[in-house]
Amino acid sequence: MDERRGAEVFKELAREVNEAVKEVRRNLGEFLAEWKAFQEEGSDGEVDSSQNSQFGIGSSFCSKEYVIVRKDDLERLSTEIMQLKEFLPKVLDGEVMSALPKLVKKEEELYCTSRDMEQLTTGYKLLEERVDTVMTDCEKEREEKFNLQYKVSALMDQLCQQSDFCSSMGSACCTLLWRVSRQEEVIPAILGGSSVGDYLHLVGNTLDSFIATYKEGAPPPTQEEASNELQFVLAICGTITNIAASAFGRDFLCTNSDGQTVIEVFINAVKELPLKHPSFTRIRNLLLMSLYNISINHQGIKYLNAKGNLLHTMGWLLEEEEDNQLKLNSLKLLQSLILEPDNPSVAHRALEVIPMSLLRMCSQDRNMEIRQIAMEIMNDLNVLKGH
């Protein structure tokens, strides 16, 4: 508050001083004008000796050391000087004098602020120009992005069309191959071609991709939504099942490295496919039938039993699945695995991982084939227990 009040007093005093100075300057101007006029009259010789004698001085003395001033002007000047002598000490007191450095400092700050303001204004204009340039570039990029999105959308449509076409063509070709492979005499011709390795790679990669898609939470396909895709997977699995049904085919799959890779993919798919869905149940049944056919081969059953998790998978399927055909195929594969003559330890592992209560429940199933095979497995395991 004190600083604000002092600033107001200072402003008032400064205003009064400015008015006094203006008055003095005005009077001084008038005096100088009159003095100039007087000098011009003296130079023209209009001032005579009678006038000089009237003032009591000689002409030479007057022109050199003294000036002639009207009495009224002199009195008025004296009055103003007295007023200034009386007024100035009141105005120019200690408070005003101490405020002068602050005024100078404020003027410097004002100058610096004005200079900074000019710099900021210049910077603002530059930024405004840059913003305009960036906005123009942004609009161009937005248009380019829109065009690219349109092209990507068009390419995606083309890709979907090509994918549908390839899926449809693959489904048709593999379905034909599935039907042809039912004839045992054509199996050697199918496996004797130069492209059998590529076909087995196709089987493994397709099934792996199919499992990865639906294992990660994608909704299972309906018959209408994915008829080509589902039929394609069913056809390649069915073809391998038919190949494994022949002695030549079983031996080829068990001895060929690409065939062994397909067997491993099938073992993994039996476990990884989602449960209790008609589409996946059909695929799992074909996989179990294929593995059962492979287990008929002496080298095939050794290879399957080397994968110890297959017994766990069979027990899990018998406990979780409700489809009769799936239960039957699981029991057939289990029976084939535990009857390996050269490896009785498989039966002992089966006793550890498959509860007898589960087999007892299967032996009471309404399906006669399921009851019969379950009872045969129980008898075989009981014989092993006795030994």
Side-chain angles (χ1 to χ4, degrees), residues 17 20-21 81-93:
V17 169
V21 170
I81 290 173
M82 290 175 64
Q83 289 177 350
L84 286 174
K85 286 181 178 180
E86 182 182 359
F87 180 71
L88 283 177
K90 297 179 180 179
V91 175
L92 302 176
D93 57 0

Side-chain angles (χ1 to χ4, degrees), residues 267-287:
I267 293 173
N268 181 65
V270 169
K271 180 180 179 182
E272 298 296 337
L273 279 171
L275 292 171
K276 300 177 181 179
H277 188 276
S279 299
F280 299 140
T281 299
R282 292 177 62 191
I283 297 174
R284 186 177 271 114
N285 272 319
L286 287 173
L287 298 176

Side-chain angles (χ1 to χ4, degrees), residues 49 89-90 102 188 197 223 258 269 278 364:
S49 59
K90 297 179 180 179
K102 296 181 180 180
Q223 192 70 23
D258 294 328
Q364 298 173 0

Side-chain angles (χ1 to χ4, degrees), residues 161-268:
Q161 292 175 3
Q162 292 177 358
S163 177
D164 291 341
F165 172 76
C166 292
S167 178
S168 176
M169 183 177 65
S171 173
C173 293
C174 289
T175 301
L176 291 175
L177 183 61
W178 185 11
R179 292 177 180 175
V180 170
S181 64
R182 293 174 183 173
Q183 306 298 323
E184 186 174 353
E185 59 270 16
V186 304
I187 300 300
I190 293 175
L191 298 179
S194 60
S195 300
V196 64
D198 295 335
Y199 177 75
L200 293 176
H201 277 297
L202 173 67
V203 173
N205 293 334
T206 301
L207 194 54
D208 275 338
S209 176
F210 184 81
I211 293 171
T213 299
Y214 295 106
K215 182 183 176 182
E216 294 176 357
T222 62
Q223 192 70 23
E224 295 78 12
E225 291 173 339
S227 58
N228 288 332
E229 179 187 20
L230 182 62
Q231 186 60 34
F232 182 45
V233 175
L234 286 170
I236 59 177
C237 293
T239 302
I240 297 298
T241 301
N242 289 341
I243 290 174
S246 70
F248 182 84
R250 286 193 294 272
D251 187 65
F252 180 88
L253 292 175
C254 294
T255 55
N256 183 276
S257 60
D258 294 328
Q260 292 175 355
T261 301
V262 170
I263 294 172
E264 291 182 4
V265 172
F266 276 28
I267 293 173
N268 181 65

